[in-house]
Amino acid sequence: RAAEWQLDQPAWSGRLRITAKGSTAFIKLEDKTSGELFAQAPVEQFPGIAVEGVTDSSRYFVIRIEDGNGRRAFIGVGFVDRGDAFDFNVALQDHFKWVRQQSELAQQAQDLERGPKLDLGFKEGQTIKLNIANMKKKEGATGNTTRPRPAGPGGLSLLPPPPGGKSGSGERPASLPAPAQLPGTPITDSLLSWPQPAAAPAADVWGDFAKASG
């Protein structure tokens, strides 16, 4: 109980700092002017025997100080301001929360190293099967259908032009068909000497027949 202490006449007054080295926190009591160390209390666990709160106040604690030669002593410390006492508690809690997190991460890393490693490679003779039924269905749907030919007048199908033929290209045909012979009419030169047409324009691919005889 802090009420049993001589609070009006403290044996020492100064500043308090909390530092950490590894997983151990150190409560250091220092001179508020020169910073000279008065005493320190190593804390390896919180809450624990190294730091305990009193039963009748939230501003006073009992800490276990050590001199480094094996000698220990329990002393009572208190804060004038309640906010400083709150910060004292939070600083210790944050440090040991970080210690627990580091311990858990280290344990998880060890478990991963000890456990069997995941092998995603193919074993000898091992195969996999891929389902591409949808792709085959689409290919079959487009490959098996034939394009209907356009129908001509009267529902007749129009045949494609012969190979090499070009419709409407303006090229001269390779040969002209022979004149058809009517029954009973012999083919003579007089039948072939019909009047020639007028001269074609220069751009006509048939040429200029203006000087042709007959």
Side-chain angles (χ1 to χ4, degrees), residues 73-157:
F74 290 91
I75 63 173
V77 295
F79 297 91
V80 177
D81 186 77
R82 194 176 302 276
D84 293 336
F86 177 80
D87 293 341
F88 173 76
N89 264 312
V90 170
L92 291 174
Q93 290 174 1
D94 287 347
H95 170 73
F96 287 98
K97 180 180 179 180
W98 173 82
V99 172
R100 287 192 298 269
Q101 290 176 349
Q102 295 300 314
S103 177
E104 292 174 358
L105 292 175
Q107 184 64 36
Q108 292 177 2
Q110 290 180 0
D111 293 342
L112 291 176
E113 291 179 358
R114 295 174 182 174
K117 295 183 179 180
L118 184 61
D119 185 9
L120 299 179
F122 284 99
K123 305 297 186 296
E124 184 177 358
Q126 183 179 5
T127 59
I128 60 174
K129 183 178 181 181
L130 299 178
N131 186 7
I132 54 176
N134 294 333
M135 296 177 61
K136 290 184 178 180
K137 183 178 181 181
K138 292 181 179 178
E139 292 177 357
T142 57
N144 294 334
T145 58
T146 57
R147 185 177 180 180
R149 295 179 179 178
L156 298 178
S157 299

Side-chain angles (χ1 to χ4, degrees), residues 6-213:
Q6 298 177 358
L7 302 180
D8 55 342
Q9 297 178 355
W12 179 89
S13 61
R15 70 182 184 187
L16 183 147
R17 288 195 309 133
I18 298 178
T19 63
K21 184 177 181 181
S23 61
T24 304
F26 294 89
I27 302 174
K28 295 186 177 183
L29 304 177
E30 301 173 344
D31 186 271
K32 58 184 177 182
T33 303
S34 63
E36 182 182 0
L37 181 64
F38 172 74
Q40 72 175 1
V43 183
E44 298 178 353
Q45 184 180 357
F46 181 79
I49 193 174
V51 181
E52 294 182 281
V54 298
T55 59
D56 57 345
S57 176
S58 62
R59 296 186 293 118
Y60 293 88
F61 304 87
V62 175
I63 64 175
R64 185 181 63 184
I65 60 175
E66 299 181 7
D67 63 354
N69 296 323
R71 293 186 299 177
R72 299 175 178 177
F74 290 91
I75 63 173
V77 295
F79 297 91
V80 177
D81 186 77
R82 194 176 302 276
D84 293 336
F86 177 80
D87 293 341
F88 173 76
N89 264 312
V90 170
L92 291 174
Q93 290 174 1
D94 287 347
H95 170 73
F96 287 98
K97 180 180 179 180
W98 173 82
V99 172
R100 287 192 298 269
Q101 290 176 349
Q102 295 300 314
S103 177
E104 292 174 358
L105 292 175
Q107 184 64 36
Q108 292 177 2
Q110 290 180 0
D111 293 342
L112 291 176
E113 291 179 358
R114 295 174 182 174
K117 295 183 179 180
L118 184 61
D119 185 9
L120 299 179
F122 284 99
K123 305 297 186 296
E124 184 177 358
Q126 183 179 5
T127 59
I128 60 174
K129 183 178 181 181
L130 299 178
N131 186 7
I132 54 176
N134 294 333
M135 296 177 61
K136 290 184 178 180
K137 183 178 181 181
K138 292 181 179 178
E139 292 177 357
T142 57
N144 294 334
T145 58
T146 57
R147 185 177 180 180
R149 295 179 179 178
L156 298 178
S157 299
L158 298 179
L159 297 178
K166 296 183 180 179
S167 176
S169 61
E171 296 182 358
R172 183 174 180 176
S175 61
L176 295 176
Q181 181 181 2
L182 297 177
T185 305
I187 297 176
T188 61
D189 294 339
S190 62
L191 294 176
L192 299 177
S193 59
W194 59 79
Q196 298 297 323
D204 191 352
V205 297
W206 289 90
D208 189 1
F209 291 94
K211 297 181 181 181
S213 60

